[in-house]
Amino acid sequence: MLLIKLATKSLLNRKASALLTLFTIAISVMLLMSIERVRVDAKSSFSNTISGTDLIVGARTGDIQLLLSSVFRIGHANNGVSWKSYQYISGQRGVKWAIPMSLGDSHKGLAVLGTNKDYFEHYRFAKKQPLSFSQGHDFNHLFEVVLGAEVANTLGYQLGDEVVIAHGMGNTSFHNHDDNPFKVVGILNPTGTPVDKTLHIPLAAIEAIHGGHAHQHEAAQADANDHDQHDDVDLVGTPKQITAFLLGFDSPLYTLQVRRNINQYKDEALLAIMPGVTLRELWEMLSIVEKILLLFSIVVVLISLLGMLTSLLSSLNQRRRELAILRSVGARPWHIFTLISVESLLITGLGCIVGTALFYALMLLGADYLQSHAGISLNIALLSSYELMLLAAIMVAGFIVGLIPATRAYFYSLADGMSIKI
């Protein structure tokens, strides 16, 4: 206890350098803990880019390709799913809801998704969070569009604006459907998922804008004259085929059975994937990102510990008289060794405490931003056993680093005695 008290007073006597070293360690601990928490939660959030959906069904292709095209709007589906197959499968026992998805059109390089009203009710992201509106509501009429948050922010659209859809994905569009503009009736809240970059229109509108002009005009006119009569069936129509569809079941017990039946479906070559499993497989392919983040965390901590080592070593020469006085009042070389070691432990320990406090402050401040802009849902909870192990490792590393100046002080005290070299 005496050595701890002495080490504390010694650090207080060198407040400026001690606080600077402590602050450096605290910042490194904050960065390490933040990077690790974001890394773990990013993996979890990535796996939950789409959640609450039991199966994604599309034309037979690779699992990851189907996931990328239907969820991330990356790439193109080579084939579609016939409407007949969609109706048959969505009507099977145990199916609670089905969401048809038709892709292939765009607006200024952003994906346009044709779907039904169930999309806004049952689609989930992150930890089963539902879609919500910052302005307006979902579509109720044929030529209405609901914008993702990023679409509205990037292009500056407001409720009531008109949007022209183009045929073709990405920046390559082959035909603008200028004769059938869509009215913006809703803007979704940010989700940090591909939903933010998507324009949502009724499935029946996809067929209307791709049909003949006469058919389009009739559909638009019927829509205008019958505002209160349109229901979900009218907005869905009977398309020839769709890109993919999402399924939710009354019980998870139906998932594997229906998936097997779909994959063995004889009338059409279809593929059913479990999005959670496929997302984890995709993350494993991107595991190099995790390794880079972990390496960056380790480097940050090492730099801070080297800073502490530099500070302790640079102060040793100035403290040789102090150490000699301690020897003169009976302190032995191992007392000096222990004193310097305790100082390094105190700095490291306090740095870990302050760093942990800064970590929680940063998580509280950044949680909403990461959710809305990066789709990372942070879990602001008590430190996990893994994070406690990281703090313990930093303490051990700080102790080991402290042994270097402690050993040097040990030999100083032996050589100097009361004879101080200045």
Side-chain angles (χ1 to χ4, degrees):
M1 288 298 295
L2 180 61
L3 284 174
I4 294 176
K5 186 177 180 181
L6 192 60
T8 303
K9 290 188 174 182
S10 177
L11 289 174
L12 290 174
N13 192 48
R14 296 177 287 110
K15 289 191 290 289
S17 61
L19 284 174
L20 185 59
T21 304
L22 186 151
F23 184 70
T24 305
I25 293 176
I27 291 296
S28 69
V29 169
M30 179 194 72
L31 287 174
L32 172 65
M33 302 292 283
S34 299
I35 289 172
E36 282 302 295
R37 181 67 66 92
V38 169
R39 182 181 68 85
V40 172
D41 288 346
K43 182 177 181 179
S44 174
S45 296
F46 184 84
S47 299
N48 291 311
T49 301
I50 176 173
S51 64
T53 294
D54 295 310
L55 290 178
I56 300 175
V57 183
R60 189 167 298 168
T61 181
D63 290 17
I64 292 177
Q65 184 179 348
L66 175 57
L67 179 76
L68 290 176
S69 62
S70 61
V71 175
F72 292 95
R73 327 287 194 243
I74 298 174
H76 305 278
N78 295 326
N79 297 300
V81 179
S82 70
W83 187 247
K84 179 181 177 182
S85 296
Y86 164 76
Q87 288 183 309
Y88 174 76
I89 294 170
S90 61
Q92 294 298 299
R93 184 167 65 95
V95 175
K96 186 176 183 180
W97 51 262
I99 300 174
M101 305 174 70
S102 182
L103 295 160
D105 293 311
S106 65
H107 174 71
K108 297 185 178 180
L110 298 168
V112 172
L113 172 66
T115 186
N116 62 4
K117 292 170 73 71
D118 285 344
Y119 177 88
F120 303 103
E121 181 180 354
H122 296 293
Y123 191 94
R124 298 289 185 270
F125 66 97
K127 298 174 182 177
K128 295 189 177 180
Q129 296 184 41
L131 298 176
S132 59
F133 287 84
S134 62
Q135 299 178 52
H137 51 79
D138 62 357
F139 43 68
N140 291 315
H141 308 297
L142 194 61
F143 291 105
E144 293 182 342
V145 59
V146 173
L147 307 181
E150 192 169 332
V151 177
N153 291 335
T154 303
L155 302 179
Y157 286 142
Q158 301 291 333
L159 296 182
D161 289 349
E162 290 191 343
V163 174
V164 174
I165 304 301
H167 185 63
M169 292 292 289
N171 292 316
T172 304
S173 51
F174 304 105
H175 175 66
N176 289 330
H177 303 290
D178 299 357
D179 46 353
N180 287 122
F182 286 78
K183 180 181 177 182
V184 177
V185 295
I187 299 174
L188 295 169
N189 280 313
T191 65
T193 71
V195 171
D196 296 346
K197 301 179 181 180
T198 304
L199 295 86
H200 309 83
I201 65 175
L203 188 61
I206 295 289
E207 290 300 304
I209 62 177
H210 290 159
H213 290 282
H215 172 70
Q216 294 175 19
H217 177 74
E218 290 170 6
Q221 190 65 38
D223 181 64
N225 295 335
D226 196 17
H227 285 284
D228 298 323
Q229 299 301 316
H230 281 285
D231 55 22
D232 188 59
V233 175
D234 296 317
L235 296 177
V236 172
T238 54
K240 293 180 180 179
Q241 65 175 20
I242 55 177
T243 305
F245 59 95
L246 312 180
L247 289 177
F249 297 98
D250 292 317
S251 169
L253 298 176
Y254 291 106
T255 304
L256 292 177
Q257 177 185 346
V258 174
R259 183 191 180 196
R260 183 176 62 251
N261 293 339
I262 292 172
N263 290 335
Q264 296 174 352
Y265 189 59
K266 295 181 179 179
D267 292 352
E268 193 172 354
L270 299 179
L271 174 68
I273 63 171
M274 299 168 62
V277 174
T278 309
L279 279 165
R280 284 191 289 272
E281 291 175 358
L282 182 58
W283 182 265
E284 291 303 319
M285 295 174 62
L286 305 174
S287 60
I288 185 65
V289 177
E290 278 192 290
K291 294 175 183 177
I292 292 173
L293 286 174
L294 182 59
L295 179 62
F296 179 74
S297 305
I298 294 171
V299 169
V300 167
V301 173
L302 287 177
I303 290 173
S304 68
L305 292 176
L306 287 174
M308 181 180 72
L309 173 61
T310 303
S311 175
L312 290 174
L313 286 175
S314 64
S315 66
L316 269 186
N317 206 43
Q318 301 170 4
R319 300 176 62 189
R320 291 178 74 168
R321 184 182 295 276
E322 173 192 334
L323 299 179
I325 292 172
L326 288 174
R327 286 298 310 278
S328 70
V329 295
R332 297 182 178 275
W334 68 268
H335 285 127
I336 305 299
F337 177 89
T338 306
L339 175 66
I340 303 299
S341 298
V342 169
E343 285 184 13
S344 65
L345 268 179
L346 282 173
I347 293 175
T348 307
L350 288 172
C352 287
I353 293 172
V354 174
T356 302
L358 291 174
F359 156 70
Y360 275 110
L362 184 63
M363 291 296 100
L364 288 169
L365 291 173
D368 290 339
Y369 180 85
L370 284 176
Q371 175 64 71
S372 61
H373 289 79
I376 300 174
S377 179
L378 290 180
N379 180 26
I380 303 176
L382 295 176
L383 296 178
S384 65
S385 57
Y386 175 68
E387 289 166 334
L388 290 173
M389 186 179 68
L390 287 177
L391 290 177
I394 294 172
M395 290 292 295
V396 171
F399 174 74
I400 293 173
V401 167
L403 293 179
I404 298 174
T407 303
R408 194 165 181 178
Y410 177 89
F411 288 110
Y412 273 175
S413 64
L414 281 178
D416 290 346
M418 285 300 294
S419 179
I420 306 302
K421 297 177 183 178
I422 301 176

